[in-house]
Amino acid sequence: MSKTTSKDGTAIAYEKSGNGPAVILVDGALCYRRLGPMGPIARELASGFTVFTYDRRGRGQSGDTAPYSVEREVEDIEALIEVAGGSAFIYGASSGAVLALAAASRLEGIRKLALYEAPFIVDDNQAPQPADYPSKMSAFTAADRRGDAVKLFMKAVGVPAIVVAMMPLMPDWSKLKAAAHTLPYDVAIMGDTRSGKPLAAERWAAVAIPTLVGVGGKSPLAMRNAMRALADVLPAARLRVLDRETHMVKTKAIAPILAGFFSSREAVAERAAGGHIPVSR
């Protein structure tokens, strides 16, 4: 484990593995180097890339300078790009995909961008996020009610109530609670993108780099429509479907597509993805 320093002085913990062009992996809510999908993906990519996994601020061994802002999280990615030599590919999953988009719209040095299932709600195929969700989440975390914060998040993203009730019995419960205080950060990152309104075309107009937008073929229609909408508003994006996948995408499914895209073998990625999404309204 190594550390770099973000612009506001926050220490950001990261690990580097492999050889080749740099790839930075950006986690979604609650995940960090010791919990979540990025470690296995890093191991798969390390044969052809120098892969950076890191603890987003407030998680794991990274610092957490107040006050929080999305801009400061973007600066954390900027610090990692500097460690990588000034340029890198970026892969972000879930709310990490939205953070990666924010970084790509503000930073130079990002060569290509890959995104998987940014949890937008853009139509009426899914109920919009409740208006009081941000205030409830902030209240739970301010009161250090970490378990309640995690449960609120899990319900908001559609985890069945019976599963949410059983989560305290699961092995990773303590790790989830350890990162619970950062859930308002992901609320800020998502902004109004879970309101059920269409994505604004101008929001990420500056993201003109080649972008891969991924979605699971078994994911709900609302998610598939949202990723179609994202690909449509980004200037240089292509949509890829992983036919048998859901939001919890398997490493063996996503890693070859990332490797193909980042190494410019788009034809390989296209064959692996299995085509385009049928969209209905």
Side-chain angles (χ1 to χ4, degrees):
M1 188 273 291
S2 302
K3 288 189 177 181
T4 187
T5 303
S6 194
K7 190 173 292 185
D8 68 352
T10 302
I12 302 299
Y14 70 91
E15 291 181 3
K16 181 174 72 169
S17 59
N19 267 300
V23 177
I24 297 171
L25 306 180
V26 184
D27 272 310
L30 297 174
C31 297
Y32 49 106
R33 286 179 302 125
R34 296 293 176 259
L35 178 68
M38 295 308 188
I41 291 174
R43 289 190 287 275
E44 288 292 319
L45 293 178
S47 61
F49 300 90
T50 300
V51 188
F52 292 80
T53 55
Y54 76 105
D55 294 335
R56 283 176 49 191
R57 63 173 52 211
R59 308 178 192 184
Q61 293 178 277
S62 287
D64 194 16
T65 304
Y68 175 81
S69 71
V70 178
E71 288 75 13
R72 287 184 168 188
E73 281 229 64
V74 168
E75 289 169 358
D76 300 344
I77 295 175
E78 184 177 26
L80 290 167
I81 292 173
E82 291 174 1
V83 172
S87 67
F89 301 122
I90 303 286
Y91 169 59
S94 196
S95 58
V98 190
L99 176 57
L101 272 168
S105 67
R106 301 172 198 183
L107 302 178
E108 296 182 357
I110 299 178
R111 298 169 60 188
K112 286 185 178 183
L113 183 65
L115 311 169
Y116 189 78
E117 294 209 353
F120 300 147
I121 303 174
V122 301
D123 59 27
D124 58 5
N125 283 288
Q126 180 180 348
Q129 178 176 281
D132 63 353
Y133 176 79
S135 60
K136 281 186 175 180
M137 183 60 74
S138 294
F140 282 152
T141 55
D144 202 31
R145 293 171 59 181
R146 292 171 177 264
D148 289 332
V150 173
K151 289 179 179 179
L152 178 65
F153 167 74
M154 293 298 176
K155 290 175 183 176
V157 297
V159 176
I162 184 63
V163 176
V164 173
M166 294 180 65
M167 290 194 76
L169 304 176
M170 297 178 180
D172 287 332
W173 179 243
S174 62
K175 293 180 180 179
L176 293 171
K177 289 200 301 179
H181 63 288
T182 66
L183 284 168
Y185 303 174
D186 290 274
V187 172
I189 288 165
M190 296 306 301
D192 64 354
T193 59
R194 292 177 56 80
S195 65
K197 299 176 182 177
L199 298 175
E202 67 275 9
R203 188 174 196 134
W204 297 292
V207 184
I209 58 175
T211 302
L212 177 71
V213 177
V215 67
K218 287 188 174 181
S219 290
L221 176 61
M223 178 63 79
R224 289 180 276 136
N225 286 350
M227 292 305 94
R228 167 75 73 182
L230 178 60
D232 285 346
V233 300
L234 292 175
R238 297 201 298 174
L239 184 68
R240 293 291 177 266
V241 182
L242 284 71
D243 283 339
R244 294 179 290 277
E245 299 301 317
T246 65
H247 196 66
M248 306 298 289
V249 61
K250 297 181 186 67
T251 301
K252 292 293 186 181
I254 190 66
I257 293 173
L258 295 176
F261 177 64
F262 291 146
S263 61
S264 297
R265 294 192 298 270
E266 285 87 356
V268 174
E270 187 168 357
R271 288 197 299 271
H276 297 283
I277 296 178
V279 177
S280 61
R281 300 287 181 185

